[in-house]
Amino acid sequence: METPVVMNELHAKINSYVKSLTKSEQKVAQFVLERFDEILHLSVTDLAEQANVGETTVLRFCRKLEFKGYQEFKLALAKNTVNPLSNLHSNLTESDPFQVMIQKVNASNVQAIQETTGMMDSKELNRAIELILSSQQIHFYGAGVSGITALDAKSRFMRIGLSVDAQLDAHHQAMAAAMLSENDLAIGFSVSGSTKDTVDALAIAKANGVKIIASTHFARSPITRIADVVLLNGGRETPLQGGSLAAKIAQLHVIDLLYTGVALRIKEKALYYREKAAKAVADKAY
């Protein structure tokens, strides 16, 4: 893999490739050159739509610049932002006193929940709850930190008696998705909405007639195109902020909304299984 170039060098590199690009790819190049600062917060679908081209054109453009794909291209941008500390935390500056750092991190995490609440469509949330209640099996999918979110979701819903599962290995995800039927449900977590392993597993499930719920920050992204219900969450992140706690908190907030909504609908069953679950692990603590 080529060592990422600094921003002004990347700008020059794009200019040097312009004449060798197709007309559609030149549209992408022009958009990128004019709006460098916006790219980090655009999904591949967003960029394609704003540049008035297809997603495959964006991917070809990135590969012609010798990047493996759109995410690696954005990574090259993220590594050389004006404030390098923003790659650790978007609100930090080097001059911040320790107490200010604590306050900024706290504010960022609180904001992630507030953003998620503001972005949440109550009708979509209700549809998601109905799908969970009417499904025989529910599989949760995610990669990286979103994979841990999927395991969190499995743990929560298992405690109220639902038949749930989550796999971290991409091959196991694909195989599990292939075993689902039209009576089942698949729920995918991806902040970017462009995580290939997650989207691929959901697509396999979709081909079997499985209903799909997607939780993502980007309303226009590959994962939302195959979803029957989309639950948007706050806490966006740049490529170098992958795994940020704010994004994780936003995902967990979505899970909590789903879990609480389902538990209230099946209150007696939920209480019964929560008690059974608690008793099952009671002797695991001193």
Side-chain angles (χ1 to χ4, degrees):
M1 182 180 72
E2 178 180 318
T3 302
V5 290
V6 297
M7 186 172 291
N8 60 349
E9 290 176 346
L10 182 55
H11 195 285
K13 184 174 184 178
I14 294 172
N15 275 318
S16 72
Y17 273 77
V18 166
K19 290 186 178 179
S20 65
L21 301 176
T22 66
K23 289 185 178 179
S24 294
E25 292 164 356
Q26 287 178 5
K27 289 183 179 180
V28 180
Q30 182 178 356
F31 183 92
V32 171
L33 290 171
E34 292 176 352
R35 302 164 79 171
F36 254 103
D37 294 341
E38 297 179 30
I39 303 302
L40 288 179
H41 301 297
L42 295 180
S43 69
V44 64
T45 306
D46 288 331
L47 176 53
E49 289 185 358
Q50 294 191 36
N52 197 27
V53 299
E55 287 180 20
T56 54
T57 301
V58 175
L59 297 177
R60 285 200 308 268
F61 163 78
C62 294
R63 288 170 186 145
K64 283 191 176 179
L65 266 63
E66 301 176 5
F67 295 101
K68 290 181 179 179
Y70 183 57
Q71 287 302 114
E72 188 174 308
F73 173 70
K74 290 210 298 183
L75 184 62
L77 293 178
K79 287 196 70 173
N80 296 278
T81 52
V82 175
N83 173 20
L85 277 180
S86 66
N87 292 322
L88 297 177
H89 196 285
S90 58
N91 297 325
L92 292 179
T93 65
E94 291 186 31
S95 61
D96 286 339
F98 189 70
Q99 188 60 37
V100 172
M101 179 274 289
I102 294 174
Q103 293 170 353
K104 285 189 175 182
V105 171
N106 178 72
S108 177
N109 293 337
V110 171
Q111 183 181 2
I113 293 179
Q114 293 175 335
E115 286 179 354
T116 302
T117 301
M119 295 168 72
M120 185 62 63
D121 184 325
S122 59
K123 291 181 179 179
E124 288 287 273
L125 179 62
N126 188 62
R127 286 182 63 202
I129 291 170
E130 293 291 346
L131 285 175
I132 291 172
L133 289 169
S134 63
S135 298
Q136 291 183 357
Q137 294 186 79
I138 304 164
H139 282 195
F140 299 99
Y141 296 93
V145 173
S146 291
I148 306 301
T149 298
L151 291 178
D152 285 333
K154 174 184 175 181
S155 177
R156 293 296 301 280
F157 285 97
M158 181 190 301
R159 289 174 181 268
I160 57 173
L162 273 62
S163 179
V164 294
D165 198 8
Q167 303 283 344
L168 291 183
D169 180 82
H171 289 195
H172 289 168
Q173 287 181 354
M175 289 187 285
M179 304 301 169
L180 296 177
S181 72
E182 60 185 10
N183 298 316
D184 302 322
L185 175 67
I187 303 178
F189 298 94
S190 172
V191 177
S192 69
S194 303
T195 308
K196 191 175 188 301
D197 287 341
T198 303
V199 174
D200 286 350
L202 294 178
I204 292 171
K206 183 82 170 180
N208 288 340
V210 177
K211 294 295 184 182
I212 307 295
I213 297 174
S215 175
T216 181
H217 179 75
F218 292 96
R220 295 180 178 180
S221 57
I223 200 172
T224 62
R225 287 203 304 271
I226 61 173
D228 298 286
V229 175
V230 176
L231 302 177
L232 296 177
N233 55 258
R236 71 181 182 180
E237 59 188 17
T238 68
L240 283 176
Q241 290 173 333
S244 72
L245 186 58
K248 175 74 170 177
I249 287 172
Q251 289 180 331
L252 293 176
H253 187 51
V254 171
I255 292 173
D256 205 24
L257 291 172
L258 290 172
Y259 169 85
T260 304
V262 170
L264 288 174
R265 303 277 185 95
I266 56 168
K267 184 172 65 174
E268 291 185 6
K269 176 182 177 180
L271 290 173
Y272 170 76
Y273 279 105
R274 279 186 65 86
E275 183 177 349
K276 288 196 71 173
K279 287 182 178 179
V281 297
D283 63 346
K284 304 298 182 184
Y286 291 104

